Each structure stands twice: as C-alpha cells, then as structure tokens.
Amino acid sequence: MTTLVAVLLTTGVLLGMGALVIDVGRIYGEREELLSGADAAAWAVANQCSVAAIACTAYAASAQSYAALNASDATVTVSRICGFNPKASAAANTAQACPAVNGGLTQCLGTRPTDLTLGWVEVWTSTKNPDGSTLLPPVFARALAGGTSNNGTAVGACSRVRWTPINLTNINVVTLAVAACAWNTSAPVGLQFRGSVAYTGCGTAAGGGGSMGGFSTFGLLSGLLTCTTTLNLPIYKTALSLLNGCGTVITNSVGATLTMPVYNDIDPVLGFRLVGFTQFKLANYCIAGVGNGVPAGSGLTCTALGGQTWIYGSFSRSIPGSYGVTNLKRDG
C-alpha cells in the first residue's frame, strides 16, 4: 500500500513538473517571437524615420507588419511606439515621448539615450491570439488547478534602436537626382532619363507632381553647365528636362562613382524633394542614342531613332553617408 501511494505521489509530481515545463516553455517561445518582432519593427521604424521627418509618417503600419511577420500565427499587438527624432519638431517629439520606465521585465534593457543629436525608437509588443484575446493560454496548468485559477499569462517584449543622423549639409553632388523607388534595389539597374521616350515611372508622387522614377536634372541652368552643386538637405529643387553639362560628366565617368541626390516626392511647383544622397557606380550610358554599349540582359536599347537616354550601374549602399542611415544600433 505504501509503495502504491509513493508511486501515485511520484507520478503526480512528475505530471505537474511536466505540465509546468510545457507551459513555461510556451511562454519563453512566445516571448522570443515577440522580441524578434519588436527588433524587426524597431529597425524598420528607425530606418524610415532617420531619413527625414517627412518620411516618418507611416511607421505604425511598418512596425505592425514587421512584428506580425515574426509571429508564428501572424498576430501580435504593437502596444507602443515611442522615442525621439532629432529631425522632427518639438511638438512631434512630445507626442511620441516614451513614458517613464516601470521596472517591469518586458521593458527595454539599458537606459534611454539622452544625447539630443541621436535618434532612437522603442517598439513594444505583446501577445495577441487569433481570437483577439491578449493572454497566452496555458496547456496543462489550468487543468491541474481545477480549470478555474489560471486564465493565461500576459507576455510582452521591447526593443530599442538608435541612430546617428546623416550629415546632410554642404554635400557636393552632381545635379542628377534619382527617385527613391528607383534607388531601392541592390542589383545593377538601368535608370531612364525622365525626358527620354522610354522613361517609365516606379511610383507616384504623394505631392501631386506626377510619376517618380529614373533620373533627372534639377536646379538652375547655371548648375547644369558643370553638373555639380552643393546642397543642404532636405530641400526642394526645380526639375529640368535638359542634360547640358551633365552629358559630358556622364560620358567621362564610366567606372567612376557619382554622388547623386535622392528624392522621395515631387511638388508641382517646388519640384523634387531631395532628402538624401547615394553613390552610383556608372558602368554604361546612352545619351540620345549614343553610348558605350548595352549591358547584356538589361533589356535596354540605345538607338538614335529611339532617342533613348539612360545610365546603367549599381548603388553603393555600404559607403558611409549613403541614402538611408549611416549608423543603426540595437540599444536595448
């Protein structure tokens, strides 16, 4: 009889320990998904908001999308997005200020940056089940406790990313602007001149200035004579349809790297909104049907009859100061 009682007690203890291990393991798994989602969301928001204050508008949707992609059931709550952006107004920063830390286990690690030249963002995530509930239900603990005392566990995570702002003052560039949607590729790309008959856009300007894509000249005609200028960004510059001196710069720059401004919007009156810059290694060109060869597999043509004007090459994103951010770092 004593042996039987001991066996039953041991079995009960083992079952209880097994149930505890399974339920605690689910909590750790859930937290890992939430933390991965918070990490991805924070990186996405930082990458977006570090470019310019005007680009920091749809960050909530970006954060939700990246967080959900890291959840096994594609459901997660982004409960808080807060931080500081040195490019934003005082009012905007006040609206997005983070509340005081409460010492909880789900807050970001470390201390928040106090240097006002640094931008940073915190993204907080928490459990959301497919049915909309916000507690992670136990597998065995409720049954062992009689089915009433454990409704689930609130699980959360936080990630903080900070960035060093890009230096966007006194930048020496060629007067050839490239659309952000055309820049957004790591593969070699052919950029059609906006005045070329073969030009097609890759997006639509939110400011009402028509299609965005390819590359174009900008600014005053005097700047086009040398195809170089110095910019403080962000700034609006009038779009032009002439190559002028830029044609000579292009033909003399094969194999070289051009520093080009990047625009993310077009205003019908003000022109391109230049928000950053990138470096483009030029491999091939075609100006009014005359060029140095057409890259195989590029789909480009270069004939005088067609009047095509394009440049072909690759964006060097790894070079410090390129469009986007120069220094992103996970901070908590």
Side-chain angles (χ1 to χ4, degrees):
M1 184 67 178
T2 303
T3 302
L4 178 60
V5 171
V7 170
L8 291 175
L9 289 173
T10 302
T11 302
V13 171
L14 291 175
L15 287 174
M17 291 179 64
L20 180 63
V21 168
I22 291 174
D23 283 344
V24 171
R26 291 187 71 239
I27 293 174
Y28 274 98
E30 175 74 2
R31 177 168 168 74
E32 181 61 32
E33 287 188 5
L34 292 174
L35 184 57
S36 296
D39 283 343
W43 281 98
V45 174
N47 188 54
Q48 184 174 344
C49 293
S50 62
V51 176
I54 193 173
C56 190
T57 54
Y59 59 83
S62 297
Q64 183 64 51
S65 174
Y66 278 89
L69 287 172
N70 283 273
S72 57
D73 56 5
T75 56
V76 62
T77 297
V78 176
S79 54
R80 179 181 300 155
I81 305 173
C82 59
F84 177 79
N85 188 352
K87 296 180 181 294
S89 65
N93 278 317
T94 298
Q96 295 300 324
C98 291
V101 296
N102 56 18
L105 296 177
T106 60
Q107 70 182 23
C108 288
L109 299 175
T111 57
R112 292 166 176 163
T114 56
D115 186 343
L116 298 183
T117 66
L118 299 178
W120 56 275
V121 62
E122 287 184 3
V123 175
W124 295 56
T125 55
S126 57
T127 297
K128 182 179 181 181
N129 299 310
D131 62 1
S133 59
T134 57
L135 295 178
L136 182 68
V139 176
F140 294 111
R142 181 184 299 174
L144 292 174
T148 58
S149 63
N150 191 337
N151 293 320
T153 304
V155 185
C158 174
S159 180
R160 184 190 308 115
V161 171
R162 64 180 171 91
W163 65 87
T164 303
I166 311 168
N167 176 22
L168 294 178
T169 59
N170 297 319
I171 306 300
N172 296 315
V173 298
V174 294
T175 53
L176 299 171
V178 59
C181 56
W183 163 86
N184 194 24
T185 178
S186 58
V189 62
L191 302 174
Q192 295 281 355
F193 186 59
R194 287 178 63 88
S196 174
V197 294
Y199 165 78
T200 56
C202 56
T204 302
S211 69
M212 294 174 49
F215 77 102
S216 181
T217 49
F218 66 88
L220 300 176
L221 187 60
S222 58
L224 287 180
L225 296 179
T226 59
C227 196
T228 58
T229 189
T230 301
L231 295 177
N232 294 329
L233 303 176
I235 192 172
Y236 280 98
K237 285 292 183 179
T238 305
L240 299 176
S241 57
L242 301 172
L243 273 180
N244 285 9
C246 287
T248 301
V249 169
I250 290 173
T251 58
N252 292 336
S253 298
V254 174
T257 298
L258 301 173
T259 301
M260 303 172 65
V262 179
Y263 68 91
N264 68 350
D265 199 6
I266 308 174
D267 184 273
V269 177
L270 300 176
F272 296 131
R273 178 173 174 78
L274 306 177
V275 294
F277 63 95
T278 186
Q279 284 157 319
F280 183 79
K281 187 170 184 179
L282 180 67
N284 299 86
Y285 69 87
C286 177
I287 299 178
V290 179
N292 68 331
V294 177
S298 66
L300 298 169
T301 58
C302 186
T303 61
L305 182 62
Q308 295 99 335
T309 296
W310 48 259
I311 55 178
Y312 182 88
S314 303
F315 294 109
S316 303
R317 296 191 182 201
S318 61
I319 298 177
S322 60
Y323 176 72
V325 292
T326 56
N327 184 13
L328 276 177
K329 180 180 180 181
R330 190 174 188 274
D331 198 49

